Amino acid sequence: MKSKFQFYIYARDGFKNVCNHIFMSFSSVLTLIITLSLCAVVFMFVVNTNAFTRDIESQVTMLAEFNYDVTEAQITSVMHLLDHHELVYHHEFIDRYTEREEVVSQIVGDNDELRYLFERTSNTLADIVIIEAVNITALDLLEGELLVHPYLQSVQHPSDAAELISGTTNAIRVVMMVFAGVLMLLAIFLIHNTIKITIYSRQEELSIMRLVGASIGHITFPFLIEGLIIGVIGAIFPILFTMIGYSLVYDLNDGIFAINIFQLASPSPLVYQVGFVMGIISILVSLLGSLFAVAKYALKD
C-alpha cells in the first residue's frame, strides 16, 4: 500500500514537472515526434529496399556452358562441385536438347513448317548450368574459378546493373540511418536539458530533501517519470503516422512504389512491428536523457 502511495506521489510530481516547464517539454516531444517519424521512414525504407535488392540479386544468375564434347561423368563432376561450393546458392542443369526445344518454341511458336525446318538442322547448342550465387558480390569470384575449369568453355553474368542498384541502395540506407542516429542524440540532449531545468528550479527543495535523509529513489523517480511521460507522448504520433501513413501509401499505389519492379512489403504485420519498435525507442531515449540529467545534477552534493 505504501509503495503504491509513493508511486502516486512520484507520478504526480512528474506530471507537475511537465506542466511547469511546458515549453521545454513541448520542444522535447516535438523533437521525439520528428526523430521517430524519420526513423520510421528509414526503417520502412530499409525493409523494402532489402527485399527489393534481394529480388534483383536473385534474378542475376550466371550461365556456364559446357564443352561440346563433354561426357556425362564430367558433367556429374561439375555438378558435384557446385553442390558443395560455398558461393553457390542454387544451380540448375539444362541439357542441350531441352535448351534447343525451349529456343525453338520461343522462335517458331505454332508455325509447324518453321518448326520442321529447325528440326532438320543440327543442334549446335551446348549443355549449360544456370547458377545463382549466395550474393551478387560472389558472382565475380565464382566466375573466376569456373573460367579456368577444363570442362567449361564460357561463363557469363550480367551483374553490373544489379551491383549498381545494390550499392546505391546500401549507401542511401547508411546515410539515412546516420541521420536518424544524429536526430536521436539531439532528442536525448533536449530531454536532458528539460530535466536539467526542472532540477535547477527545485535545487533548494532537493537540498532540503537530501538533508532530511530522503532516499535516492524519492529524489530521482519524479524526474524519470517526467522523461517517461515525454517519451510516451512523443511516441503516439509517430506510431499513428507509421500505421496509417504506410497503409495509405500501400493502398493508393497497389503495393508498388515508383516503378513496377519495386514491390512494397505488406503493411501487416510490418506497421505493428515498426510501431512497437518506435514506442520502445521513444521510451528508451527519454529515459536515457532523464538518467543523464539526474545522475549529473540531482544526485550531486
Side-chain angles (χ1 to χ4, degrees), residues 250-291:
Y250 187 89
D251 293 337
L252 287 174
N253 297 280
D254 295 324
I256 296 172
F257 182 75
I259 52 178
N260 288 337
I261 61 172
F262 198 160
Q263 180 70 41
L264 294 172
S266 176
S268 181
L270 179 59
V271 293
Y272 303 108
Q273 294 170 342
V274 175
F276 177 76
V277 171
M278 291 301 102
I280 296 298
I281 290 176
S282 181
I283 291 172
L284 288 177
V285 166
S286 302
L287 287 178
L288 278 175
S290 303
L291 282 170

Side-chain angles (χ1 to χ4, degrees), residues 199 201-215 218-219 298 300-301:
I199 293 171
S201 68
R202 297 179 59 189
Q203 199 62 251
E204 185 177 348
E205 179 185 343
L206 293 176
S207 298
I208 295 172
M209 291 171 66
R210 282 193 291 267
L211 286 174
V212 299
S215 67
H218 190 78
I219 295 173
K300 67 179 183 180
D301 296 329

Side-chain angles (χ1 to χ4, degrees), residues 49 61 71 85 117 119 132 143 216 242 247 263-264 273:
T49 53
T61 54
T71 65
H85 201 293
L117 179 63
E119 288 176 350
E132 181 182 340
E143 181 186 31
I216 293 177
T242 301
S247 298
Q263 180 70 41
L264 294 172
Q273 294 170 342

Side-chain angles (χ1 to χ4, degrees), residues 61-67 78-79 82 92-94 99 126-131 142-143 146-147 149 151-157:
T61 54
M62 177 183 298
L63 188 148
E65 285 190 345
F66 287 91
N67 297 328
V78 173
M79 300 306 289
L82 296 176
E92 179 185 3
F93 172 75
I94 302 177
E99 185 184 6
D127 297 316
I128 63 171
V129 58
I130 299 174
I131 305 166
L142 192 56
E143 181 186 31
L146 296 180
L147 278 174
H149 198 284
Y151 304 147
L152 298 172
Q153 63 174 328
S154 68
V155 180
Q156 310 166 23
H157 72 84

Side-chain angles (χ1 to χ4, degrees), residues 13-299:
D13 290 344
F15 274 103
K16 285 172 64 177
N17 290 344
V18 171
C19 295
N20 290 337
H21 303 90
I22 188 68
F23 291 109
M24 285 298 296
S25 298
F26 176 75
S27 67
S28 298
V29 169
L30 185 61
T31 303
L32 269 177
I33 288 174
I34 295 172
T35 299
L36 293 174
S37 298
L38 287 172
C39 285
V41 172
V42 169
F43 192 83
M44 292 298 189
F45 178 82
V46 169
V47 170
N48 282 286
T49 53
N50 279 343
F52 172 68
T53 305
R54 282 196 300 270
D55 289 341
I56 292 294
E57 291 180 354
S58 67
Q59 295 173 25
V60 179
T61 54
M62 177 183 298
L63 188 148
E65 285 190 345
F66 287 91
N67 297 328
Y68 290 114
D69 58 350
V70 69
T71 65
E72 187 173 339
Q74 292 170 343
I75 292 175
T76 301
S77 68
V78 173
M79 300 306 289
H80 180 76
L81 170 67
L82 296 176
D83 283 337
H84 299 87
H85 201 293
E86 60 181 6
L87 298 180
V88 176
Y89 176 73
H90 176 74
H91 61 84
E92 179 185 3
F93 172 75
I94 302 177
D95 65 68
R96 67 187 68 184
Y97 305 106
T98 303
E99 185 184 6
R100 175 189 169 90
E101 182 59 33
E102 291 179 357
V103 172
V104 170
S105 297
Q106 291 176 4
I107 295 175
V108 305
D110 297 329
N111 191 323
D112 293 334
E113 293 182 0
L114 195 56
R115 176 178 290 277
Y116 176 74
L117 179 63
F118 269 101
E119 288 176 350
R120 291 178 64 86
T121 60
S122 58
N123 186 359
T124 58
L125 297 176
D127 297 316
I128 63 171
V129 58
I130 299 174
I131 305 166
E132 181 182 340
V134 290
N135 56 62
I136 198 167
T137 58
L139 284 172
D140 290 330
L141 296 174
L142 192 56
E143 181 186 31
E145 291 184 27
L146 296 180
L147 278 174
V148 298
H149 198 284
Y151 304 147
L152 298 172
Q153 63 174 328
S154 68
V155 180
Q156 310 166 23
H157 72 84
S159 64
D160 291 344
E163 286 179 348
L164 177 62
I165 293 173
S166 178
T168 303
T169 53
N170 285 335
I172 294 173
R173 280 199 297 266
V174 170
V175 171
M176 294 182 73
M177 291 177 72
V178 169
F179 181 61
V182 171
L183 285 175
M184 282 191 186
L185 291 176
L186 177 61
I188 292 175
F189 174 76
L190 283 177
I191 293 168
H192 171 274
N193 280 348
T194 302
I195 305 300
K196 180 178 71 174
I197 290 173
T198 304
I199 293 171
Y200 275 154
S201 68
R202 297 179 59 189
Q203 199 62 251
E204 185 177 348
E205 179 185 343
L206 293 176
S207 298
I208 295 172
M209 291 171 66
R210 282 193 291 267
L211 286 174
V212 299
S215 67
I216 293 177
H218 190 78
I219 295 173
T220 59
F221 265 109
F223 301 114
L224 296 180
I225 290 177
E226 180 183 355
L228 183 63
I229 293 168
I230 292 173
V232 171
I233 296 173
I236 293 173
F237 180 82
I239 290 174
L240 294 176
F241 168 76
T242 301
M243 292 183 174
I244 298 173
Y246 184 80
S247 298
L248 282 175
V249 170
Y250 187 89
D251 293 337
L252 287 174
N253 297 280
D254 295 324
I256 296 172
F257 182 75
I259 52 178
N260 288 337
I261 61 172
F262 198 160
Q263 180 70 41
L264 294 172
S266 176
S268 181
L270 179 59
V271 293
Y272 303 108
Q273 294 170 342
V274 175
F276 177 76
V277 171
M278 291 301 102
I280 296 298
I281 290 176
S282 181
I283 291 172
L284 288 177
V285 166
S286 302
L287 287 178
L288 278 175
S290 303
L291 282 170
F292 292 155
V294 167
K296 188 172 183 181
Y297 300 103
L299 299 180

